[in-house]
Amino acid sequence: MSRPRSDSSTAGRASDERVLVLDFGSQYAQLIARRVREQNVYCEIVRHDISADRVRAHRPRGLILSGGPNSVYEPGAPRCDPELLQLGIPVLGICYGMQLACEILGGRVDGAPSREYGRARCQVTSHDDLFAGVAAETTVWMSHGDQVFGVSDDFLPLARTETCPIAAVRHQTLPVFGLQFHPEVTHTPQGSTILHNFLTIVCGCEGTWHLGDFARETIAQVRERIGDARVICGLSGGVDSAVTAALLYKAIGPQLSCILVDNGLLRKAEQQAVIAEFSSHFQTDLHVVDAEDRFLAALAGITEPQEKRRRIGHAFIECFKAEATRIQNARFLAQGTLYPDVIESGAAPDGPAATIKLHHNVGGLPAELGFELIEPLRDLFKDEVRSLGKELGLPDEIVWRHPFPGPGLAVRCLGEVSRHRLNILREADAIVVEEIKTAGLYRSTAQAFAVLLPVQSVGVMGDARTYEDAVAVRCVNSDDFMTADWSHLPYDLLARISTRIINEVRGVNRVCYDISSKPPATIEWE
């Protein structure tokens, strides 16, 4: 059974088995944490320079040092507290993390004569502990320009590749291990086995963290904190706010009030769908604010993406505040904040300080409204939220709904946002989703949508020359939304989507398919 974590976060839960990931700027830091949680071991991401005292306070079973873009020998390169390696807590360094750990303990790191990026064949020379059950020759994913060239006699090499003689290493007296490759990515087929070995054999974890325990504990603690007050929850039609509402409804029932601000930037028939779903599943107090005119007025003539987000956020606060003040005895505001939001907003006490999500209001909205904040999902990743939704009994149409950006269609309507352009986009987007569902591919794709481009092109319809809008179709596959690949949809499906959009959506004469992966592209266009 899990227990509350050591800080006072409302929704924070962890088990006695906790692993910390020290983030050195890796694009895979969140992926490492997810892979650990898949082994039913609770994991948090913390800043790379967290002190040894703070680590002791967390009482982790293990530490993982992430990769990163720097070289350990460069001036100003991020470093961890050297004392961490002497605490007796098992440490696994990955890529940059391995290089740093080896350098701290007397090794030599330098630029490699032959850099490795992509798949490599790895020869395992020791199958104890970390490589138990791993084949003698296995495929691994490399992404490095530096490598460890020398270690002291205290280290034992565990694996090598053709160009990297020390591809894995362990210290003989300290519980410190290093991997030059990335076990967290799917391109390392036996990476999950290696991580499992670290967690179970090295750290002694038994895998005691489960979402069922999380739900029960969260419901109990939310109920205790709220008492007889009322909670307001903002709905967006997305899975995050739906699961937040479901969790709160389990905890406090009729004390929950939900507000849906229809900003005119929702998907086709979204307002009706949300009303129907929440009326049938929650029977809760639902307020719908029709604010399309207000938002369109705020966006008139605006084309810069960040300015769009800023104006949408400001208008949302005004609308939400006006409706919230009408709800009696409301003391708390619930938000569907997820763990990546917390990390990328720099809002975690020991987390990385970089602020990536400028538009996300982690903790910002309650300050405007005078409410106390409740974020029951702030420790969870998206896939965990979906699993929790199933645990709470939500139907598949809610749990598996594709993500939708906070600013709505405004960031898929490139250029100026107007009612006319939004209607074009809304119809095109509905066709994309409908055809993906008809083809039975909605669950196997992570996100599918249309983007209205700020360009027009020449076409011919009938015998007439046209000069009309172009639509881009975006469809990606992803487990975690941190990385994504474009979906290789069947040509006949793409043809049907294109034909229907051009024939049924007046004002469009060209459809393009986006075949960009993330990185380097993002999933959304703005």
Side-chain angles (χ1 to χ4, degrees):
M1 188 67 173
S2 57
R3 59 172 174 75
R5 69 187 187 188
S6 55
D7 63 41
S8 59
S9 170
T10 303
R13 306 293 176 277
S15 77
D16 291 326
E17 299 180 343
R18 181 198 305 253
V19 169
L20 302 180
V21 175
L22 276 66
D23 184 10
F24 290 90
S26 171
Q27 62 177 316
Y28 298 134
Q30 292 184 25
L31 187 55
I32 296 171
R34 285 190 63 256
R35 294 290 182 252
V36 172
R37 292 190 186 188
E38 287 172 2
Q39 310 271 359
N40 293 322
V41 175
Y42 185 75
C43 187
E44 289 181 289
I45 300 171
V46 297
R47 54 187 306 125
H48 68 272
D49 56 356
I50 185 172
S51 70
D53 287 340
R54 283 300 297 161
V55 168
R56 288 191 190 95
H58 281 282
R59 293 182 293 142
R61 290 288 188 91
L63 305 176
I64 298 178
L65 313 184
S66 82
N70 301 93
S71 296
V72 299
Y73 48 79
E74 292 176 344
R79 304 182 69 82
C80 65
D81 185 342
E83 188 182 344
L84 297 181
L85 305 182
Q86 306 291 337
L87 295 178
I89 300 170
V91 175
L92 175 63
I94 297 175
C95 197
Y96 181 91
M98 167 183 165
Q99 296 163 14
L100 180 60
C102 288
E103 194 228 27
I104 290 173
L105 295 173
R108 182 171 62 88
V109 179
D110 209 340
S114 178
R115 297 181 299 174
E116 283 187 304
Y117 294 97
R119 290 179 175 86
R121 297 302 297 171
C122 181
Q123 304 289 331
V124 178
T125 57
S126 173
H127 287 83
D128 293 339
D129 297 339
L130 211 58
F131 288 95
V134 177
E137 184 175 288
T138 185
T139 299
V140 298
W141 183 261
M142 291 285 195
S143 181
H144 67 100
D146 299 332
Q147 63 187 43
V148 177
F149 280 95
V151 290
S152 70
D153 292 339
D154 292 327
F155 282 92
L156 175 68
L158 305 177
R160 64 175 180 267
T161 69
E162 184 177 349
T163 60
C164 184
I166 308 177
V169 71
R170 67 164 297 176
H171 198 278
Q172 298 200 66
T173 58
L174 298 172
V176 176
F177 296 76
L179 300 173
Q180 184 56 70
F181 57 87
H182 290 271
E184 70 274 20
V185 300
T186 56
H187 306 307
T188 301
Q190 293 189 280
S192 61
T193 300
I194 296 170
L195 286 174
H196 177 77
N197 289 340
F198 175 70
L199 296 170
T200 58
I201 299 175
V202 180
C203 299
C205 296
E206 297 179 0
T208 59
W209 188 73
H210 301 282
L211 282 174
D213 295 336
F214 173 91
R216 285 188 292 274
E217 289 189 351
T218 301
I219 288 169
Q221 292 202 7
V222 164
R223 186 180 292 136
E224 180 181 358
R225 180 183 175 191
I226 290 171
D228 61 357
R230 180 165 289 276
V231 178
I232 298 174
C233 179
L235 298 180
S236 66
V239 63
D240 303 337
S241 63
V243 173
T244 299
L247 195 68
L248 289 168
Y249 187 72
K250 290 277 188 182
I252 59 172
Q255 292 169 240
L256 174 66
S257 292
C258 295
I259 297 177
L260 170 65
V261 176
D262 186 347
N263 53 17
L265 306 172
L266 302 178
R267 289 170 284 200
K268 185 177 181 179
E270 187 112 57
Q271 182 191 118
Q272 298 92 315
V274 171
I275 293 173
E277 289 161 357
F278 278 80
S279 298
S280 59
H281 293 292
F282 300 114
Q283 294 86 43
T284 190
D285 180 37
L286 176 61
H287 300 244
V288 179
V289 181
D290 185 359
E292 179 180 20
D293 291 341
R294 178 193 291 252
F295 279 80
L296 291 182
L299 290 169
I302 304 302
T303 60
E304 202 278 318
Q306 285 298 83
E307 182 61 17
K308 286 182 184 179
R309 293 176 183 274
R310 191 191 69 79
R311 290 182 177 230
I312 290 169
H314 184 71
F316 177 82
I317 289 174
E318 289 182 346
C319 293
F320 198 96
K321 183 174 183 178
E323 188 65 28
T325 55
R326 299 189 179 98
I327 299 174
Q328 297 297 314
N329 198 31
R331 177 182 164 192
F332 298 93
L333 174 69
Q335 290 186 171
T337 307
L338 304 191
Y339 192 46
D341 300 325
V342 175
I343 293 298
E344 294 175 1
S345 301
D350 292 312
T355 300
I356 299 171
K357 290 193 172 183
L358 297 176
H359 64 280
H360 193 90
N361 318 281
V362 181
L365 189 55
E368 295 276 350
L369 301 178
F371 293 124
E372 292 183 42
L373 179 64
I374 291 181
E375 296 175 309
L377 309 182
R378 67 177 283 128
D379 288 335
L380 302 185
F381 288 103
K382 176 71 76 172
D383 57 324
E384 294 170 330
V385 171
R386 294 191 193 280
S387 297
L388 181 60
K390 296 294 290 182
E391 183 89 24
L392 295 170
L394 290 177
D396 284 352
E397 57 264 28
I398 294 179
V399 170
W400 293 104
R401 180 171 292 154
H402 285 184
F404 191 56
L409 294 179
V411 293
R412 295 177 180 174
C413 184
L414 275 58
E416 186 173 359
V417 178
S418 66
R419 185 176 279 105
H420 172 69
R421 298 192 76 226
L422 286 169
N423 287 336
I424 292 175
L425 174 57
R426 198 172 279 116
E427 293 300 322
D429 182 75
I431 290 171
V432 172
V433 173
E434 182 182 327
E435 288 294 337
I436 295 289
K437 287 182 175 179
T438 301
L441 297 175
Y442 190 75
R443 284 277 297 273
S444 61
T445 55
Q447 213 164 343
F449 55 91
V451 179
L452 184 62
L453 305 182
V455 296
Q456 292 186 312
S457 65
V458 175
V460 177
M461 290 184 173
D463 295 323
R465 178 182 182 275
T466 62
Y467 192 64
E468 294 181 327
D469 291 328
V471 164
V473 174
R474 181 69 158 147
C475 186
V476 299
N477 294 344
S478 178
D479 293 327
D480 46 50
F481 297 93
M482 290 171 275
T483 61
D485 193 14
W486 60 278
S487 302
H488 294 234
L489 299 181
Y491 290 157
D492 59 343
L493 173 57
L494 290 172
R496 285 198 303 275
I497 291 173
S498 176
T499 299
R500 283 196 59 194
I501 290 176
I502 292 173
N503 287 345
E504 298 176 27
V505 183
R506 184 173 293 276
V508 177
N509 67 358
R510 190 177 300 272
V511 174
C512 311
Y513 190 53
D514 184 346
I515 58 171
S516 309
S517 295
K518 175 187 179 181
T522 54
I523 295 177
E524 299 289 344
W525 278 48
E526 285 190 344

